[in-house]
Amino acid sequence: MAEIIDIRTDRDRALAEGVRVLSEGFPVAIPTETVYGLAADATNPIAVTRIYETKGRPQFNPLICHMADMAMAERHAIFDPISRLLAQTFWPGPLTLILPLRAESGIHALATAGLDTVGIRLPQGFARDLIAALDRPLAAPSANTSGKVSATSAQHVAEDLGERIRLILDGGAAPVGVESTIVKVEGETVRLLRPGGVPTEAIERIAGRPLLRPETSGATIEAPGMLASHYAPEAAVRLGATAIEPGEAVIRFGSDIIPGIEQACAVFDLSPTGDPVEAAANLFDMLKRADTVGAIRIAITPIPDRGLGEAINDRLQRAAAPRE
Ligand code: TXA
Ligand code: MG
């Protein structure tokens, strides 16, 4: 079973142990502001292989490489002016930029899936300090078995991956609760590859142009996080529920009265006040809990697309998609 160290009470030991295990080439579960990451030295092919092995990922997808600061990011990737402006505005924070990889980067091809681009993010807080202490970029997908709901607490990680990893660093509940927004600047256009923790409206304001949305029906999948069935609970999921059927578990947004809710086997409130930021922070934890109450189905009430609502609805559509 993984050792769990609380970074809030034992920060120095968490940093030292984190650096030690990472230096030995093993993955460590780390708190980030978005979700927990399963992090490994992005320059060490054995360490990166262990990420895929631990998650049971079916194929080698490109991973996000996390940096300590702008200087480190510039050593690994080439910034165009719009990407640099977005980085200055939203880093450290929940934004990933897809950028050309520098030939001398040292990030292993297993972390980029052999692409000539790299997904880069500067996380906030402890994760950033850990990367600075290690002095290497950390490749880190979400710390969950492939295809499952992302972990937003150390407890989630321990239940899912605890038998397969050595160390979990516990930073409490992830404050944002959904993964980073991924964008790629291509000449004059800025493409949205995945909605996430930075609302698209905020990115459009800074970039000074509308984002090109992902192809919803196209055959090319740029970000495998975009696979239709992803973030999947065990139970079936019904979206846009405005009335509840007996035996359903309900995940509710806002406090509108919902016919039939008294017949639900459990009710989870994402945000009684209808705040999408609060709802994002609660989303994955409530999906997991709704999955444990023996419901015939999980019914989710409508959530407006504004702000983080877009990322929430993106994840919910994947949770509700037909299973492979
Ligand atoms: O918030 C997050 O982004 C979390 C935390 C741990 O930082 N990480 C995360 O990583 O969600 P992951 O591996 O689950 O998602 C990475 C996504 C994938 O959909 C992948 O295809 C895309 O980023 N990606 C990475 N590098 C890429 C590249 N060079 N080109 C296109 N997509 C890329
Ligand atoms: Mg993931």
Side-chain angles (χ1 to χ4, degrees):
M1 187 68 192
E3 183 185 6
I4 301 177
I5 305 178
D6 193 320
I7 68 160
R8 294 158 297 180
T9 54
D10 231 353
R11 191 179 177 91
D12 291 349
R13 198 166 71 87
L15 272 177
E17 277 299 288
V19 168
R20 189 179 66 77
V21 176
L22 291 166
S23 302
E24 289 173 2
F26 289 94
V28 174
I30 62 166
T32 88
E33 70 275 50
T34 56
V35 297
Y36 276 67
L38 186 64
D41 178 352
T43 66
N44 177 343
I46 295 168
V48 176
T49 303
R50 287 186 173 126
I51 294 179
Y52 293 110
E53 191 178 56
T54 304
K55 283 182 65 86
R57 269 214 179 168
Q59 75 262 57
F60 285 48
N61 298 330
L63 304 175
I64 295 173
C65 294
H66 299 68
M67 304 287 163
D69 51 39
M70 201 59 200
M72 190 189 257
E74 301 255 18
R75 283 201 297 278
H76 294 281
I78 300 163
F79 285 74
D80 58 274
I82 298 174
S83 293
R84 180 168 284 111
L85 183 61
L86 293 173
Q88 283 163 353
T89 308
F90 297 110
W91 283 354
L95 174 71
T96 295
L97 296 168
I98 308 299
L99 299 168
L101 180 68
R102 283 193 192 278
E104 66 280 17
S105 152
I107 289 176
H108 197 271
L110 282 173
T112 57
L115 298 171
D116 54 9
T117 55
V118 61
I120 284 190
R121 175 162 110 76
L122 247 82
Q124 290 165 6
F126 177 84
R128 190 184 188 190
D129 296 345
L130 180 65
I131 299 161
L134 183 71
D135 199 25
R136 305 233 174 124
L138 285 180
S142 51
N144 52 275
T145 303
S146 185
K148 296 291 176 201
V149 175
S150 299
T152 52
S153 72
Q155 202 50 46
H156 294 161
V157 181
E159 283 163 13
D160 186 9
L161 304 177
E163 301 294 335
R164 281 179 262 163
I165 59 178
R166 298 184 174 198
L167 182 61
I168 299 170
L169 301 178
D170 182 357
V176 176
V178 290
E179 298 85 347
S180 58
T181 305
I182 307 181
V183 300
K184 185 179 186 187
V185 176
E186 292 171 342
E188 292 303 304
T189 61
V190 184
R191 293 216 302 139
L192 175 68
L193 299 188
R194 177 178 77 183
V198 177
T200 51
E201 299 93 317
I203 296 173
E204 290 180 330
R205 220 162 28 240
I206 300 301
R209 62 205 77 203
L211 293 179
L212 232 67
R213 322 304 283 190
E215 289 273 339
T216 44
S217 59
T220 51
I221 297 170
E222 273 256 20
M226 317 291 292
L227 285 174
S229 171
H230 206 81
Y231 310 100
E234 301 290 330
V237 173
R238 181 166 77 88
L239 302 182
T242 51
I244 303 307
E245 292 161 25
E248 287 184 322
V250 183
I251 297 182
R252 173 166 63 167
F253 180 81
S255 54
D256 288 353
I257 291 164
I258 306 155
I261 198 159
E262 68 287 345
Q263 308 177 77
C265 66
V267 179
F268 300 90
D269 282 303
L270 283 174
S271 171
T273 60
D275 173 6
V277 173
E278 181 185 25
N282 285 327
L283 180 67
F284 290 140
D285 182 62
M286 289 182 178
L287 272 175
K288 281 176 199 285
R289 283 160 56 199
D291 213 13
T292 62
V293 295
I296 58 157
R297 203 180 300 111
I298 302 172
I300 306 178
T301 68
I303 300 168
D305 251 337
R306 72 188 151 80
L308 291 193
E310 182 177 1
I312 294 171
N313 285 324
D314 171 81
R315 304 307 185 269
L316 288 176
Q317 271 144 26
R318 289 170 216 293
R323 310 294 155 80
E324 289 129 27

